[in-house]
Amino acid sequence: MSGIFRESSAPYVLAILVGALSWLLNSAISELKNTRYIEYSISYTGTGKDREATVTLLNRSMSQPIDFGFFGFECLRATDAAGPCFRPLPESGQMVEFVRSGSIWMNSQPRSVATDTFNVDAVIPPQAQVSYLMGLTGDDAHVRVGYDLTSLKIEEVRSLKATILVRGPTLEGFILANYLKIIIIATIASAGLFGLWLLLEIVGSLPQRIATAIKDKTIKLIGYLREKIATYRWKNGRRTFAFPFAFLLTSMTVLASLPTEAGAEEIEIITKTNRNIPVEAAIFRRIQGSDWHPISEYRRDSTGIYKVKEPICNESVEYRVDVIQESAYVVMNESVSKTCTTPQVVFTNFRMVKFVTVKILNHKREPADEKRIDLEKFTEKDIWLTAFGSSNEAEINAERFSAQLASAIGNADYGKIAILGSEIASQLRDAGKPQDAEVFAALSFDATARGAAIRQNVDTSSVEFLVFDPLRGSVVLSEQGKALVRDYQAGQLGFEASSPALGKADWKTMRSLDGGQDVVSSRVRLPEGAVTEFRTEPFLSGMK
């Protein structure tokens, strides 16, 4: 429900249910208002010959008077009892006498119509009552109440509205007796609840510091109101205004006790390398030294940028981050934790594995030297701009390719890196630039072997993936690299032992690795007009 001012949807099902229940309740009350609803009660006092009964008849109707027929009182005893059931009352000498009750009454004198049976005229104004006191002859005597309509003509009976005589108390009688009070209380309560909801929504839309200040002020005001309510009730000895005060106090207590989730601030958690390359990471949170728990609810705007809702942002809230999977390109220097600060919490405790190492073989195919290609150069726009030279849209292309490589390395998207390297290497070979092609071929082979190793949970820290074969004059996978790719292809991709692609960085293998499924070839290939002028020297400058 929080943030409903910014949402386009509404709780339609809830609105329909509330509307239907309100309609049903209103219809039921309307029927009751137009019904002659008579509720009676019988109370007994005394024992033996002092036993008495008081019958009270209440016209619960809001607009319909009782002005026809007779109420009958019949005294009943056990079947073997002898003698009369009613007895004269000691003060008046009457067996049944009218007594005043309530604030509105009409005196209707009882009359005997049969042995142990008395009638009175049925005359009661709306919302009024009448009572009758009766003397009884023993503990086994009890009174039965009836409503006699035999004096009415058939036409009069047909024109009568619904008439109900029931022994109370009943729920219907309570509703009719307190109808106006219920309406007033319900109106005040609805207005109060709506006001509370509106206040919560407004507070929820405020910055967290302001919302917290309002909450603190509310808690202080609650204490003040409690003291005033107690003082008022003690001085006046009554509870006339107890409900409004209690409702206000309850509403404010709800406001004060709610966590400021609706008013939570949005905290931006940024994860990147010490060279500002965004890194995909797992985020953990804890409060005041408790156990760490992963954050599962967040909004990810782009690689390395996570936005989380924090009800209270202060030193009691801590975050730490970790790589999602052990990356062969990005590693964490050390695990650090940081307290919540607004509007950002920045982690730079990651670094990129700087080099793709190529072993140089001699004529005996033994390692004789090694060269290392700096990976970070592939993420720098200025290096790509130099590589594109004076080709058309060099600025745009440099921005696009540096961003793609930075994102792929930060996300450990080995498949995307492998396909990009393979596509550019193929373009450069077709353009008659085999030496330039080797740089991107090395990038492609390295990403394929590293991706296969990660899929098999192999530690890559001591693996040599690439060698330069002087007999072939090209970069190829080392024996270790081939073995990793071969095992991955056979174990997870279902390659046959006789497959010519086994142990090679083929298209299916590259596509199966992380990030490879979403690659569009045209997006990772050099523009046709830029291939002839494209140079790889900028990527190799300073190469060891």
Side-chain angles (χ1 to χ4, degrees):
M1 188 68 73
S2 63
I4 198 169
F5 292 131
R6 300 181 293 275
E7 295 175 356
S8 60
S9 60
Y12 296 113
V13 175
L14 181 60
I16 291 172
L17 289 175
V18 172
L21 289 174
S22 300
W23 178 80
L24 289 173
L25 180 61
N26 186 64
S27 299
I29 292 176
S30 296
E31 289 295 323
L32 283 174
K33 285 167 60 178
N34 294 319
T35 299
R36 289 184 174 90
Y37 196 91
I38 309 165
E39 196 175 78
Y40 71 91
S41 64
I42 305 175
S43 61
Y44 296 94
T45 58
T47 59
K49 293 183 178 180
D50 296 325
R51 184 172 170 81
E52 295 179 352
T54 300
V55 177
T56 300
L57 296 124
L58 305 98
N59 181 7
R60 295 297 195 188
S61 306
M62 300 187 65
S63 60
Q64 302 297 323
I66 307 300
D67 56 1
F68 53 85
F70 307 97
F71 292 122
F73 308 123
E74 183 180 7
C75 186
L76 304 174
R77 297 184 66 185
T79 54
D80 57 347
C85 184
F86 283 123
R87 66 172 178 81
L89 293 166
E91 294 184 3
S92 64
Q94 300 182 50
M95 294 184 179
V96 179
E97 68 177 7
F98 170 82
V99 293
R100 295 180 178 181
S101 62
S103 56
I104 302 174
W105 64 84
M106 294 185 69
N107 188 345
S108 178
Q109 292 300 321
R111 51 189 174 273
S112 177
V113 294
T115 302
D116 292 331
T117 303
F118 282 77
N119 274 2
V120 296
D121 293 330
V123 180
I124 312 176
Q127 295 290 300
Q129 67 182 48
V130 293
S131 295
Y132 296 91
L133 180 65
M134 309 166 193
L136 306 178
T137 57
D139 292 336
D140 63 339
H142 63 276
V143 177
R144 184 170 67 183
V145 178
Y147 191 11
D148 186 358
L149 299 177
T150 55
S151 62
L152 298 183
K153 298 178 180 180
I154 297 298
E155 293 76 11
E156 294 176 319
V157 172
R158 288 175 179 171
S159 64
L160 284 178
K161 294 186 177 181
T163 302
I164 297 175
L165 176 68
V166 62
R167 186 166 183 173
T170 62
L171 176 62
E172 295 87 342
F174 174 82
I175 292 175
L176 289 171
N178 298 277
Y179 181 72
L180 290 177
K181 188 181 296 185
I182 292 173
I183 292 298
I184 293 172
I185 292 175
T187 301
I188 294 174
S190 299
L193 288 174
F194 177 77
L196 176 63
W197 170 80
L198 188 62
L199 179 61
L200 289 173
E201 289 296 326
I202 293 173
V203 171
S205 64
L206 295 174
Q208 190 263 342
R209 287 186 294 274
I210 298 177
T212 302
I214 292 175
K215 181 176 177 180
D216 293 339
K217 294 290 185 184
T218 302
I219 292 173
K220 292 180 181 179
L221 189 55
I222 287 172
Y224 174 79
L225 285 176
R226 282 176 176 161
E227 181 180 349
K228 289 298 179 183
I229 292 172
T231 303
Y232 176 85
R233 290 171 63 182
W234 180 79
K235 286 183 177 180
N236 293 273
R238 57 192 298 185
R239 302 187 180 185
T240 307
F241 299 103
F243 176 79
F245 273 119
F247 178 79
L248 176 62
L249 185 61
T250 301
S251 301
M252 298 185 72
T253 303
V254 171
L255 174 62
S257 62
L258 283 175
T260 324
E261 182 65 31
E265 280 201 79
E266 189 172 65
I267 308 301
E268 190 174 69
I269 300 176
I270 298 176
T271 55
K272 57 185 179 180
T273 68
N274 50 8
R275 295 289 296 274
N276 291 323
I277 297 175
V279 175
E280 191 81 358
I283 310 170
F284 298 83
R285 175 183 182 272
R286 71 176 178 181
I287 297 179
Q288 295 177 339
S290 59
D291 294 335
W292 290 102
H293 297 284
I295 295 178
S296 57
E297 295 185 6
Y298 57 82
R299 190 175 84 244
R300 179 179 177 273
D301 287 352
S302 61
T303 302
I305 299 179
Y306 308 88
K307 294 186 177 180
V308 300
K309 293 285 188 179
E310 197 62 70
I312 301 176
C313 181
N314 55 32
E315 294 182 354
S316 67
V317 181
E318 291 183 277
Y319 303 107
R320 71 172 178 84
V321 295
D322 200 353
V323 288
I324 288 182
Q325 60 177 355
E326 191 60 37
S327 170
Y329 284 129
V330 177
V331 294
M332 191 166 62
N333 291 330
E334 58 182 347
S335 179
V336 297
S337 63
K338 296 191 175 186
T339 57
C340 184
T341 56
T342 55
Q344 290 181 338
V345 180
V346 181
F347 288 90
T348 58
N349 55 320
F350 298 94
R351 61 180 173 84
M352 184 182 296
V353 175
K354 283 185 67 67
F355 303 105
V356 171
T357 303
V358 182
K359 292 288 185 180
I360 309 298
L361 303 181
N362 59 22
H363 67 284
K364 295 182 180 180
R365 305 183 69 81
E366 296 172 345
D369 196 3
E370 69 177 32
K371 297 291 183 180
R372 292 188 292 178
I373 303 173
D374 191 343
L375 269 177
E376 287 188 347
K377 291 183 179 295
F378 290 93
T379 67
E380 297 176 9
K381 178 183 174 181
D382 292 342
I383 298 296
W384 281 91
L385 190 59
T386 304
F388 279 111
S390 60
S391 63
N392 293 332
E393 298 184 336
E395 180 82 20
I396 297 175
N397 291 326
E399 175 70 33
R400 178 162 66 91
F401 280 91
S402 62
Q404 283 193 83
L405 264 299
S407 174
I409 290 173
N411 288 329
D413 287 338
Y414 305 103
K416 185 173 184 177
I417 298 169
I419 293 173
L420 183 147
S422 176
E423 290 293 310
I424 294 178
S426 177
Q427 285 182 284
L428 294 174
R429 287 193 196 97
D430 293 343
K433 296 184 174 184
Q435 295 300 319
D436 292 319
E438 290 305 309
V439 174
F440 283 91
L443 186 67
S444 177
F445 293 152
D446 183 83
T448 303
R450 288 178 188 270
I454 294 298
R455 284 292 181 89
Q456 299 172 90
N457 298 317
V458 175
D459 182 8
T460 62
S461 59
S462 60
V463 177
E464 297 174 354
F465 294 102
L466 306 177
V467 296
F468 182 81
D469 187 346
L471 298 179
R472 300 177 57 178
S474 62
V475 176
V476 295
L477 287 170
S478 67
E479 291 303 319
Q480 282 183 299
K482 288 180 181 178
L484 286 170
V485 174
R486 184 169 54 246
D487 292 345
Y488 169 67
Q489 291 170 328
Q492 299 189 29
L493 300 182
F495 277 47
E496 298 290 340
S498 59
S499 172
L502 202 64
K504 298 179 181 179
D506 71 323
W507 185 264
K508 180 179 179 180
T509 304
M510 292 188 293
R511 180 70 79 179
S512 71
L513 298 174
D514 294 334
Q517 302 87 348
D518 303 324
V519 175
V520 178
S521 296
S522 61
R523 293 285 300 164
V524 297
R525 291 174 65 87
L526 298 175
E528 294 299 330
V531 176
T532 55
E533 295 188 27
F534 191 80
R535 299 179 301 115
T536 58
E537 287 87 349
F539 299 103
L540 303 176
S541 60
M543 185 178 77
K544 298 181 179 181

